[in-house]
């Protein structure tokens, strides 16, 4: 779509939350433009927007310690099938999610307690029982595990964005494959600048993740952090050995609480095991900081630490190559996302705490409702933490 065109509603940010908002708004019959670039082909030479959805594995599950996020998770997961049907793009694998922690030093028992109270199907395993059920684990002595077999596993963020974009376009949304360079608001509407021209809109939802505050030119009390994940390439024999492995969340103190994705096929045709849980808080205070971080390739020191952790948890792991990957996340003070109006015509939806991939469809829906001025009756009102 040409940028020089007026629209009723615009969504800035073609990531997981923005594309979801565009789908929901378009299905409701609204005139919507979804603005954002495709995934960069080469990070080292990329000059545009960077995102954190350029991978094939994010853990999804109903459970979360906080009721707000549990409700977001359930609502979004219940629509995975709908999104796949509307787009023709599969993005979810229900392999289950395993939570493990030392029985004495972690509060792993709270997982089972919350799941029982909230009606989340969860199987409990301990010591030898855990080893028998999940033989790939290196050590289970003194370890308690809780396994959620349904409505849990992993999603492909890049495939989810593709699915949401296709479904939004099929519902009538217009896709502008360009980054937004700036926005200006007047009594008549909002002007969004892109490289090829301007988009005029009556109202705008900014769902640009870590780029949101710099695009708006103001702080909303959210800090963007650079993060490093480590990827381990597996051969055919190791892939077969770990077949059936669920997504894993390891409970422990910061720096010793990694999350582990099972073997997943990536666009390069290889099978990779992904490990995250970077304990280093590296603030990215500007667009220049974000670009420099993604171009840096991430932290080798953090990757070394993550490698040690996965070798301590996966028995006899053999990998053929390690890859270090940078990403970013955003944190505020409330533990809840920022969803709500900044002005009469500009609304935001961002602030993920590393939790939004699995529930992005619901966060996008709530952002869309806020754009329509209908968020007061929504749970999102709890999450509005804008200064």
């Amino acid at each position: 779509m040409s940028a020089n065109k007026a629209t009723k509603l615009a969504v800035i940010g073609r990531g997981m939350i923005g594309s979801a908002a565009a789908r929901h708004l378009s299905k409701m019959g609204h005139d919507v433009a979804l603005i954002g670039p495709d995934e960069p082909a080469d990070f080292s030479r990329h000059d545009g927007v960077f995102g954190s959805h350029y991978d094939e594995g994010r853990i999804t599950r109903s459970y979360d310690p906080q009721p707000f996020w549990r409700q977001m998770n359930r609502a979004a997961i219940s629509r995975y099938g709908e999104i796949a049907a509307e787009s023709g793009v599969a993005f979810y694998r229900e392999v289950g999610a395993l939570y493990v922690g030392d029985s004495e030093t972690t509060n792993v028992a709270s997982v089972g307690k919350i799941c029982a109270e909230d009606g989340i199907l969860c199987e409990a395993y301990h010591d030898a029982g855990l080893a028998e059920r999940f033989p790939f684990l290196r050590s289970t002595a003194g370890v308690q595990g809780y396994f959620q077999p349904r409505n849990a596993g992993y999603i492909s963020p890049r495939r989810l964005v593709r699915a949401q974009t296709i479904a939004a376009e099929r519902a009538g949304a217009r896709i502008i494959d360009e980054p937004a360079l700036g926005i200006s608001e007047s009594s008549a509407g909002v002007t969004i600048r892109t490289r090829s021209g301007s988009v005029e809109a009556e109202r705008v939802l900014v769902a640009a993740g870590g780029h949101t505050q710099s695009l708006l030119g103001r702080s909303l009390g959210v800090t963007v952090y650079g993060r490093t994940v480590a990827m381990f390439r597996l051969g055919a024999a190791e892939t077969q050995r770990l077949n059936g492995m669920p997504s894993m969340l390891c409970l422990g103190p910061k720096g010793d609480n990694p999350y582990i994705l099972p073997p997943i096929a990536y666009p390069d045709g290889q099978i990779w095991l992904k490990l995250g849980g970077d304990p280093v808080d590296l603030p990215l205070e500007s667009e220049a900081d974000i670009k420099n971080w993604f171009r840096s390739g991430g932290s080798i020191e953090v990757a070394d630490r993550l490698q040690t952790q996965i070798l301590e948890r996966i028995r006899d792991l053999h990998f053929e190559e390690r890859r270090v990957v940078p990403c970013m996340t955003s944190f505020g003070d409330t533990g809840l996302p920022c969803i709500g109006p900044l002005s009469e015509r500009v609304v935001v939806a961002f602030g993920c705490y590393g939790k939004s991939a699995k529930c992005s469809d619901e966060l996008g829906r709530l952002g869309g409702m806020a754009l329509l001025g209908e968020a007061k009756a929504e749970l999102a009102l709890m999450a509005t933490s804008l200064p």
Side-chain angles (χ1 to χ4, degrees):
M1 171 189 167
S2 170
N4 296 289
K5 187 171 182 178
T7 187
K8 291 279 188 180
L9 305 175
V11 178
I12 298 175
R14 192 151 59 92
M16 287 177 280
I17 293 176
S19 61
R23 182 180 77 93
H24 283 283
L25 291 167
S26 298
K27 287 183 65 177
M28 294 168 66
H30 295 284
D31 176 22
V32 181
L34 175 59
I35 304 170
D38 285 331
E39 178 177 347
D42 183 351
F43 277 23
S44 65
R45 300 181 181 180
H46 184 54
D47 191 42
V49 174
F50 288 96
S52 281
H53 58 272
Y54 307 141
D55 66 73
E56 291 292 346
R58 297 289 179 87
I59 297 176
T60 187
R61 74 275 188 190
S62 304
Y63 168 79
D64 189 273
Q66 294 179 284
F68 171 83
W69 291 103
R70 290 200 297 277
Q71 184 157 347
M72 296 298 99
N73 296 346
R74 279 175 154 157
I77 292 169
S78 72
R79 291 193 291 268
Y80 283 178
E82 172 187 301
I83 299 165
E86 290 177 2
S87 64
V89 177
F91 58 87
Y92 168 50
R93 288 289 308 278
E94 191 178 64
V95 298
L98 174 64
Y99 313 85
V100 292
D102 187 280
S103 302
E104 299 295 327
T105 63
T106 70
N107 192 23
V108 64
S110 66
V111 176
K113 182 174 183 291
I114 290 172
C115 286
E117 292 173 348
D118 215 21
I120 299 172
L121 177 62
C122 194
E123 304 168 0
Y125 298 94
H126 187 65
D127 285 358
L130 184 62
E132 183 178 358
R133 177 65 179 82
F134 302 102
F136 61 85
L137 293 174
R138 179 172 179 180
S139 175
T140 60
V143 176
Q144 178 71 47
Y146 292 95
F147 178 58
Q148 184 189 336
R150 299 287 177 265
N151 296 318
Y154 66 87
I155 61 170
S156 161
R158 54 162 52 98
R159 291 181 66 84
L160 176 55
V161 169
R162 188 183 314 148
Q164 295 280 28
T165 301
I166 290 171
E169 191 168 27
R170 288 178 176 176
R174 298 185 302 280
I175 311 302
I176 300 175
D177 180 17
E178 294 187 33
L181 303 178
I183 68 173
S184 56
E185 184 179 2
S186 69
S187 58
V190 183
T191 301
I192 304 150
R193 291 187 297 105
T194 72
R195 287 171 179 164
S196 65
S198 296
V199 178
E200 303 293 335
E202 292 184 5
R203 282 171 288 172
V204 174
L205 172 65
V206 182
H211 302 278
T212 298
Q213 293 176 126
S214 58
L215 179 64
L216 294 170
R218 58 177 287 192
S219 171
L220 299 175
V222 173
T223 302
V224 179
Y225 293 107
R227 290 283 191 258
T228 295
V229 299
M231 310 281 293
F232 301 90
R233 183 166 62 84
L234 306 182
E238 194 71 335
T239 299
Q240 180 61 33
R241 182 177 77 90
L242 297 177
N243 183 42
M245 176 181 171
S247 296
M248 281 183 60
L249 298 102
C250 304
L251 280 65
K254 185 175 181 179
D256 195 30
N257 57 341
Y259 63 84
I260 306 172
L261 275 298
I264 299 173
Y266 273 70
D268 61 2
Q270 302 297 321
I271 305 297
W272 295 84
L273 200 68
K274 174 185 170 184
L275 181 70
D278 182 349
V280 179
D281 289 328
L282 177 67
L284 305 178
E285 298 176 352
S286 66
E287 280 297 296
D289 286 347
I290 291 173
K291 289 182 178 181
N292 289 338
W293 172 245
F294 275 88
R295 290 170 180 156
S296 76
S299 168
I300 299 297
E301 182 180 354
V302 169
D304 288 343
R305 184 168 183 170
L306 291 173
Q307 179 172 322
T308 298
Q309 291 186 7
I310 199 168
L311 293 175
E312 290 174 347
R313 288 168 171 82
I314 305 297
R315 177 177 53 84
D316 301 326
L317 180 67
H318 174 73
F319 61 91
E320 300 182 351
E321 177 188 353
R322 187 184 79 179
R323 181 179 292 172
V324 184
V325 180
C327 61
M328 64 179 172
T329 187
S330 51
F331 282 75
D333 296 328
T334 65
L336 300 170
C338 292
I339 302 176
L342 293 182
S343 66
E344 183 180 349
R345 298 183 181 277
V346 179
V347 171
V348 296
F350 81 115
C352 70
Y353 302 83
K355 296 185 176 187
S356 72
K358 61 187 175 299
C359 61
S360 56
D361 188 68
E362 179 65 0
L363 297 179
R365 186 188 74 82
L366 295 179
M369 297 302 293
L371 187 63
L372 299 176
E374 299 177 21
K376 290 185 178 180
E378 300 290 341
L379 182 63
L381 191 63
M382 296 170 50
T384 304
S385 55
L386 305 177

